Amino acid sequence: MPQPVKAVLVTMFEPDGHQLGELTPYRKQFNIKPLELSGCGLDHIYATEDMSLIALVAGVGTANTAVSLMALGLCPEIDLRKTNWLISGIAGVNPNEGTLGSVYWTDWIVDGDLAHEVDIRSAPDDWPIGIFPLGASEPYGPSSLESGLMGRPYQRFQLNPELLAWAWQRTRELELSNPDKLKAAIEEYAEYPATREAPKVDIGASLSAARFWHGPHHNEWAEKWVDYWTNQQSRFITSGMEDTGTLQALSHLNRVGRVSMDRVLVLRGASNFTTPPQGKDAVENLIGDAEPNYPGMVAALDNLGLVGGTILKDWINQPD
């Protein structure tokens, strides 16, 4: 008889040793231990003793998370039909919309990989970027593939609005970590008013792309790309590398009755900005010290644990 599971936590990376990862803030709250599920072929699975909560480190990038979620969802040893899902990870934040340390419940997830792309140096002079929708003939132009295999069904996902509203109302008043060390990083972004606010819980869209992009031109593209694919129903706030793969896997599992898409939440914490401050170029800002620059990572992880942990506790404490 498959074991019913109340909640699944999906994170993407958790380094060995004493380095911080996306599972770290949850390991501090929940007594989870390594779990072996012989029927799914996955490593890096953890669970509470009563199996009310399973936690998965799914891997970085859309392909890794899609494969991992399909494997978990098809595992014959667990029953996920009534399971609640929390996907929790760090992200880049659009400085036009938010700031470091904030956490964002995702209303829409938009794929940033499915597209045509040409070298912008070879594009017409009036093109702002060389990326344009499959089936279109120009950036942000109409697509002939609205309902085909390469069209909208794979390009965007809307999360359950009712569940999203409940999660936001449940967590919006939580007092988030706002350490002094964030101030120096934020001071450089004086031209962006949204970065001056204290970390908070908010709602917005996440752009998911396997490549880690950074810079003002791509940030402008991301804003317009999200606006285009959501029909102006949301705004670009966070940039991640996995969520369309995760949601694609869950949507297929939903079709065969293995999981419910109505029970899925995505939470992203702002660890870095998606574009450099005025006076710095993108390369210098991202890898100027030969290491990726994540000035808000510690605060983002702490706040993910606070907000996400609140929701997970509600779920696993619900009566059977």
Side-chain angles (χ1 to χ4, degrees):
M1 188 77 176
Q3 171 72 45
V5 178
K6 288 186 175 181
V8 171
L9 167 67
V10 180
T11 63
M12 279 54 74
F13 71 91
E14 182 74 5
D16 295 329
H18 299 290
Q19 292 180 287
L20 293 174
E22 291 172 338
L23 188 60
T24 303
Y26 298 101
R27 296 177 80 165
K28 295 176 181 179
Q29 298 180 65
F30 300 94
N31 185 23
I32 55 174
K33 296 180 180 179
L35 173 67
E36 183 175 343
L37 294 174
S38 58
C40 71
L42 286 170
D43 298 322
H44 308 299
I45 304 178
Y46 304 82
T48 53
E49 185 175 358
D50 63 359
M51 290 283 287
S52 60
L53 172 65
I54 286 179
L56 171 68
V57 181
V60 174
T62 53
N64 281 324
T65 54
V67 171
S68 295
L69 266 292
M70 284 297 292
L72 184 68
L74 295 174
C75 183
E77 299 166 67
I78 52 177
D79 182 351
L80 302 172
R81 289 174 297 172
K82 296 182 179 180
T83 299
N84 296 299
W85 296 77
L86 176 65
I87 293 90
S88 175
I90 60 171
V93 64
N94 176 8
N96 289 316
E97 298 286 354
T99 194
L100 299 178
S102 288
V103 292
Y104 300 95
W105 291 111
T106 303
D107 55 357
W108 288 81
I109 293 168
V110 176
D111 192 288
D113 289 324
L114 292 172
H116 293 299
E117 184 172 8
V118 297
D119 189 329
I120 187 59
R121 294 167 294 186
S122 302
D125 292 341
D126 61 347
W127 280 24
I129 199 162
I131 302 170
F132 54 106
L134 293 173
S137 58
E138 61 181 342
Y140 322 114
S143 171
S144 63
L145 299 174
E146 295 273 329
S147 59
L149 286 177
M150 295 188 292
R152 289 185 189 270
Y154 297 90
Q155 197 88 43
R156 61 181 187 175
F157 299 90
Q158 183 180 16
L159 281 298
N160 180 355
E162 292 182 3
L163 184 63
L164 174 66
W166 166 78
W168 182 65
Q169 289 292 343
R170 180 70 179 86
T171 58
R172 63 192 294 256
E173 300 297 335
L174 293 175
E175 185 175 348
L176 302 187
S177 173
N178 186 19
D180 290 339
K181 62 178 60 177
L182 285 183
K183 294 178 181 178
I186 292 172
E187 281 296 326
E188 295 184 290
Y189 286 80
E191 70 272 26
Y192 296 96
T195 67
R196 320 301 289 178
E197 299 179 6
K200 63 181 179 180
V201 182
D202 205 350
I203 298 174
S206 183
L207 181 68
S208 181
R211 68 189 189 282
F212 191 125
W213 57 267
H214 187 70
H217 295 99
H218 279 70
N219 198 71
E220 181 181 0
W221 161 76
E223 291 177 327
K224 293 181 178 179
W225 194 254
V226 167
D227 188 66
Y228 175 95
W229 285 112
T230 66
N231 295 325
Q232 297 81 49
Q233 295 181 67
S234 190
R235 66 197 196 282
F236 165 63
I237 291 188
T238 59
S239 173
M241 299 175 68
E242 296 87 14
D243 292 339
T244 45
T246 300
L247 269 291
Q248 182 74 328
L250 290 174
S251 67
H252 283 298
L253 292 167
N254 178 80
R255 291 177 195 170
V256 296
R258 301 285 298 188
V259 308
S260 171
M261 284 289 286
D262 287 336
R263 295 174 175 267
V264 179
L265 289 170
V266 176
L267 183 66
R268 286 285 179 172
S271 64
N272 57 282
F273 290 114
T274 53
T275 192
Q278 196 168 30
K280 278 190 178 181
D281 63 37
V283 174
E284 177 190 5
N285 191 61
L286 181 63
I287 53 173
D289 296 321
E291 292 288 341
N293 182 17
Y294 305 131
M297 181 172 176
V298 173
L301 290 173
D302 286 344
N303 292 333
L304 284 169
L306 173 63
V307 175
T310 298
I311 297 301
L312 288 174
K313 289 171 185 174
D314 283 355
W315 282 342
I316 65 177
N317 290 326
Q318 290 175 349
D320 294 329

